[in-house]
Amino acid sequence: MEKKRNDMKGMPVTTRELTLSFGPQHPSAHGVLHLLVDIQGETVLRAEPDIGYLHRGTEKIAENLFYHQFVPYTDRLDYMCGMSNNLAYVLAVEKLLDIEVPERAQYIRVIAAELSRLSGHLVCIGAWGVDLGAMSMLLYAIRDREMVLDLFEMLCGARMTYSYLRIGGVRYDATEEFKKKCLALCRILPEKIEEYEKLLTGNRIWIKRNRGVGAISGEDAIEIGLGGPNLRASGVNWDMRKDEPYLVYDRLNFDVPLGTDGDCFDRYMVRIEEMRQSIRIIEQCVRDMPEGPFNVDMPEIVPPPKHEIYQNMEALIHHFKYVSHGFKVPEGEVYCAIEAPKGELGFYIKSDGSERPYRLKIRAPSFCNLQAMDTLSRGEYLADVVAIVSSLDPVFGECDK
Amino acid sequence: MVKSSKELFIQRLRERFGTALLDAVGFRDELTCTVRKDSIVEVCRFVKEDPAFDMKFLSDILGVDYPDEVPRFEVIYHLLSITKRTRLRLKIRVEDGESVPTVTGVWKSANWHEREVYDMFGIVFTGHPNLKRIYLPDDWEGFPLRKDYPLRGYKDDYNPYGEEKE
């Protein structure tokens, strides 16, 4: 942790220490990050994130909603990858209910989660590029993210706030055309990733701005609570898709890319490689997806399809009960975490046996990653703070809850 | 988590801490150990250093409010062992107005989590290096995730829909 790359000792001090307010209104602040940076000349002495500008009390809201009503709120946590948030929440509730969704739904969920990882990483790298002066990277990344969003639109009609995953399955089936478009994406995107690499990986400026910047060892990364790609960039082999497999990840072939130095450049490379692995996963899921139902057969948890409601009295009653009364969930407490694009996204739910969670706690990866900001930026230049923020990839919908 | 590791955990904790381990419950393949409040730092240090646990990663700290129970609050620690691929939930009970010893000395990452618990429940962590609100402004009144705090907050100039303060 004692890394003084730009040690001031022994040098004549010609400047005085001052505190700089970075954000919350700053183009490189990734939303509403307010950093209080103490600097001596160009060197950062301390960096204290001041968060909470986007706090909406999501956990309090959850305590006052039915279980199924809370799904749309999870979209608005990490709004760059809403599907992952949906997934973590519905898995937690399903763990409480002790139900397993049909195979087909599991495959669709994996596709949705991996697509959202793609869209999350694309935005991360694009924003990172523009923060360090590579404007074209942002344009390319956003252009290609459009393909992913088109797929989401095919799947559920929404492009950003999906609420696609529901407790007990998914909202709509994945059509043949969706599968075809998925495979097309898997063909096109690898070329685009090559392109990003041509733009950035060998780029002298990119290397200068990222290599050796904000480096952290694996041990320190664990101690400070880094997660996801940021942890793996430090060489810690921890990916919940491999180590605590959920859904059908244990049947899929993919690698977990690891870094060695734990600097910004490694965090970038891990994300690039993860996108390639996500494409592999999507390809396998499209290939292996079985036919069958995409919801559990429990009318009190999954209401019947809309067209049946007009025809069938039973279906109408189930629908009415679902909307107006919700459903009861057995008493108990669970913690369920998934490997979201930013790290471990976990939901702790305490149920008192009623239709509403007694307590719901979101373990937001952005929040935990941001805590490392101070450790990572001490001793670096002020300009590097921008690179470090981008490499942590915080999203404030999630960080501030 | 395999069954044997759960039993092993309970056994090792019982050997080491005896009656300080108040309760151990398994539910849906998760293990929850309730320990005495005063021994939480010791227990945390033990499960972090002990090779059978190796809980190097602090995943989360959170509070839960049970207004009708005594003691009123629960503070929950979610721990993870990356090498053993196991998780453990530690739990302590805290009465309103009581303080909890901080675990920032065990895991650095506990810093923000404890601040969040303080912000939302008003539980004070003694020995914490920087215990102040994290989400809400410093001059905020009340602790929003307590069950007696109204959903829409209290009425003031900025919040005409809030509840009247008594």
Side-chain angles (χ1 to χ4, degrees), chain A residues 1 95-96 333 358-359, chain B residues 28 30 63 65 91 108:
Chain A
M1 213 144 289
K95 195 170 179 186
L96 263 174
E333 56 184 337
Y358 183 78
R359 167 89 168 102
Chain B
R28 302 266 195 274
E30 291 173 21
D65 181 15
K91 204 181 254 192
K108 252 185 147 182

Side-chain angles (χ1 to χ4, degrees), chain A residues 96-341:
Chain A
L96 263 174
L97 287 163
D98 207 11
I99 54 173
E100 190 160 322
V101 297
E103 288 247 312
R104 186 177 176 83
Q106 299 202 19
Y107 278 96
I108 298 176
R109 283 177 174 190
V110 171
I111 294 179
E114 292 306 320
L115 283 174
S116 89
R117 189 182 314 277
L118 283 175
S119 88
H121 282 358
L122 281 174
V123 173
C124 168
I125 288 169
W128 194 341
V130 78
D131 282 351
L132 299 188
M135 181 76 185
S136 48
M137 191 53 230
L138 178 79
L139 301 177
Y140 284 132
I142 296 293
R143 178 196 68 189
D144 299 336
R145 176 168 168 265
E146 201 71 2
M147 293 191 292
V148 180
L149 297 189
D150 285 344
L151 280 173
F152 283 141
E153 198 176 353
M154 276 179 90
L155 206 53
C156 62
R159 294 167 66 84
M160 194 154 164
T161 47
Y162 316 106
S163 303
Y164 171 63
L165 273 59
R166 60 154 44 135
I167 299 156
V170 294
R171 210 161 276 270
Y172 308 103
D173 199 3
T175 57
E176 283 304 313
E177 208 196 334
F178 170 77
K179 286 200 212 166
K180 235 190 275 166
K181 282 272 164 65
C182 264
L183 290 177
L185 177 87
C186 295
R187 258 199 324 277
I188 300 166
L189 210 52
E191 290 167 26
K192 307 284 182 193
I193 296 174
E194 295 280 318
E195 236 174 73
Y196 311 152
E197 285 224 75
K198 263 184 214 150
L199 269 174
L200 297 178
T201 310
N203 185 315
R204 255 168 74 182
I205 305 170
W206 186 254
I207 294 174
K208 273 255 175 206
R209 295 294 307 271
N210 286 301
R211 197 178 279 294
V213 172
I216 189 166
S217 70
E219 242 169 67
D220 291 341
I222 292 175
E223 178 73 18
I224 198 69
L226 276 180
N230 303 326
L231 185 62
R232 289 190 285 278
S234 298
V236 180
N237 191 351
W238 175 253
D239 187 320
M240 264 169 283
R241 294 174 293 170
K242 274 264 192 254
D243 297 314
E244 289 183 333
Y246 48 94
L247 297 176
V248 290
Y249 278 112
D250 48 350
R251 298 179 209 165
L252 302 168
N253 266 323
F254 63 97
D255 300 321
V256 178
L258 295 178
T260 47
D261 305 335
D263 55 3
C264 288
F265 192 79
D266 275 8
R267 292 196 270 274
Y268 156 76
M269 279 318 289
V270 165
R271 286 195 173 85
I272 287 278
E273 205 45 55
E274 269 188 14
M275 290 205 283
R276 295 208 173 95
Q277 298 304 326
S278 288
I279 294 169
R280 270 179 79 188
I281 295 175
I282 294 169
E283 259 175 349
Q284 293 172 50
C285 283
V286 171
R287 193 192 61 208
D288 297 345
M289 192 194 296
E291 292 298 320
F294 54 95
N295 276 316
V296 287
D297 187 18
M298 295 168 85
E300 67 278 13
I301 290 171
V302 180
K306 193 79 179 171
H307 61 90
E308 265 182 42
I309 292 165
Y310 298 122
Q311 318 272 325
N312 183 328
M313 190 63 199
E314 197 100 312
L316 179 68
I317 293 169
H318 281 310
H319 183 262
F320 177 76
K321 285 282 279 181
Y322 174 82
V323 172
S324 60
H325 293 85
F327 49 86
K328 284 195 164 54
V329 167
E331 222 180 305
E333 56 184 337
V334 292
Y335 175 76
C336 188
I338 65 156
E339 188 68 41

Side-chain angles (χ1 to χ4, degrees), chain A residues 87-88 91-93 95 334-338 345-349, chain B residues 30:
Chain A
L87 178 63
L91 280 180
V93 180
K95 195 170 179 186
V334 292
Y335 175 76
C336 188
I338 65 156
L345 172 66
F347 279 80
Y348 166 85
I349 304 178
Chain B
E30 291 173 21

Side-chain angles (χ1 to χ4, degrees), chain A residues 62-63 65-67 349-350 355-360, chain B residues 147:
Chain A
E63 289 172 12
L65 290 176
F66 294 141
Y67 281 95
I349 304 178
K350 163 82 192 176
E355 301 86 353
R356 296 180 169 88
Y358 183 78
R359 167 89 168 102
L360 183 142
Chain B
K147 288 282 176 187

Side-chain angles (χ1 to χ4, degrees), chain B residues 22 34-37 64-66 69-75 91-95 98 100:
Chain B
L22 301 173
T34 312
V35 298
R36 251 216 305 269
K37 197 192 74 176
V64 189
D65 181 15
Y66 298 95
E69 290 178 23
V70 179
R72 179 172 170 178
F73 299 108
E74 258 177 10
V75 178
K91 204 181 254 192
I92 52 173
R93 300 295 305 235
V94 191
E95 187 45 44
E98 274 183 350
V100 180

